Amino acid sequence: LEKVEVADRNGAVYDGEKARVAASAVLPKAFALDQNSPNPFNPSTTISYEIQENTNSVKVVLAVYNIRGQKVITLVDELKEAGRYSVNWDGRNEAGQHVSSGVFFYRLQAGDFSAVRKMVILK
């Protein structure tokens, strides 16, 4: 690459050394799994997570489980670079059927990092 430019959220464009500084400022400092939003939800919700900087590609698995601990659906199962990601869940299982109202858990596994959060579907 001969020229790299980075734009921040406000649209300001940086190049050269300023681009390297700006890029490092936006990469997450640690792994994180955010609370889904909205929660409770109907018919869909968004789950956001962060892969920390200075991480080579890492295998990321984000799955939803019912109250009995049975896997409902796998939302993400792939290698990811450092950054912030979001995925939408429409309340369907692997077979494409809508799940019933209730409490569900979602689990993020990224390398050695693992976190679980609770969400509620209301119909």
Side-chain angles (χ1 to χ4, degrees):
L1 298 174
E2 291 183 23
K3 184 175 182 180
V4 176
E5 294 180 335
V6 175
D8 65 17
R9 293 178 190 207
N10 300 321
V13 178
Y14 305 94
D15 63 355
E17 184 59 32
K18 286 184 180 179
R20 283 188 281 280
V21 171
S24 65
V26 295
L27 289 177
K29 302 293 184 203
F31 288 100
L33 177 61
D34 297 339
Q35 184 63 52
N36 66 302
S37 180
N39 189 35
F41 70 95
N42 179 18
S44 67
T45 190
T46 300
I47 300 169
S48 298
Y49 60 94
E50 296 179 353
I51 306 301
Q52 77 179 20
E53 68 178 337
N54 301 326
T55 301
N56 293 328
S57 293
V58 64
K59 170 96 181 227
V60 173
V61 177
L62 177 62
V64 176
Y65 299 86
N66 64 21
I67 196 77
R68 293 182 180 147
Q70 300 164 319
K71 188 185 297 184
V72 174
I73 190 168
T74 300
L75 300 173
V76 177
D77 185 2
E78 58 191 44
L79 291 174
K80 295 282 190 181
E81 300 288 331
R84 181 161 179 76
Y85 299 90
S86 292
V87 63
N88 190 59
W89 183 44
D90 62 3
R92 295 177 190 258
N93 63 18
E94 294 279 5
Q97 302 165 324
H98 287 283
V99 298
S100 61
S101 296
V103 176
F104 292 82
F105 298 91
Y106 55 102
R107 180 179 186 203
L108 176 71
Q109 290 178 264
D112 294 333
F113 175 81
S114 179
V116 177
R117 297 246 183 200
K118 180 172 69 169
M119 62 183 160
V120 177
I121 298 177
L122 290 179
K123 295 186 178 183

